[in-house]
Amino acid sequence: MGFVKDPKRELFYGLIRIHVLLHARQEPIFGLAMMKELAHHGYRIGPGTLYPLLHGLEHAGLLKAVDQDAGNRRRMYRITAAGRKALARARKKVDELYRELHEAHPRRISE
């Protein structure tokens, strides 16, 4: 995606997207709360990175945004059916990767 400037950080953006979908499955989310939650997990992500990420997930049909006015305008994101399916597929892939990361002798891919 165009907003990733540091190739080392790009490695973690897939994990961040999974975190976002996971929390959006539990409850509607908004940017500031999501930044705090990600910080809890050690991700340093600012609004200039998070909001394009949220918009990208919305554009992909994985999240749906709704403007909420509770004294201040807030854009809330909810997971869509497509987002739930993508999260279920991601969970399987993450589980598989976790097992391989922790194998004493991962499968060799060359002869």
Side-chain angles (χ1 to χ4, degrees):
M1 299 194 72
F3 61 86
V4 178
K5 294 181 179 155
D6 182 353
K8 292 177 279 182
R9 291 180 65 195
E10 189 172 351
L11 181 64
F12 296 105
Y13 284 110
L15 297 172
I16 291 169
R17 286 182 182 93
I18 293 168
H19 268 282
V20 168
L21 290 175
L22 176 65
H23 288 283
R25 187 189 70 192
Q26 297 300 106
E27 61 185 328
I29 61 168
F30 61 97
L32 181 59
M34 200 64 234
M35 280 189 282
K36 289 179 181 178
E37 175 60 22
L38 290 167
H40 172 77
H41 292 285
Y43 297 104
R44 290 177 159 208
I45 185 168
T49 300
L50 181 64
Y51 287 105
L53 186 145
L54 290 171
H55 297 156
L57 291 171
E58 182 181 17
H59 183 73
L62 305 178
L63 292 178
K64 178 165 177 50
V66 178
D67 289 331
Q68 182 181 24
D69 190 8
N72 58 344
R73 188 172 170 252
R74 179 173 282 163
R75 196 160 179 85
M76 303 295 289
Y77 293 86
R78 299 175 186 270
I79 196 166
T80 63
R84 288 180 188 280
K85 288 178 185 174
L87 182 59
R89 287 190 308 269
R91 175 175 284 174
K92 289 178 184 177
K93 293 295 184 184
V94 168
D95 288 346
E96 178 183 324
L97 179 58
Y98 177 86
R99 286 189 299 275
E100 191 167 355
L101 280 169
H102 293 280
E103 288 177 2
H105 303 287
R107 186 173 70 87
R108 294 183 59 86
I109 60 169
S110 61
E111 299 179 301

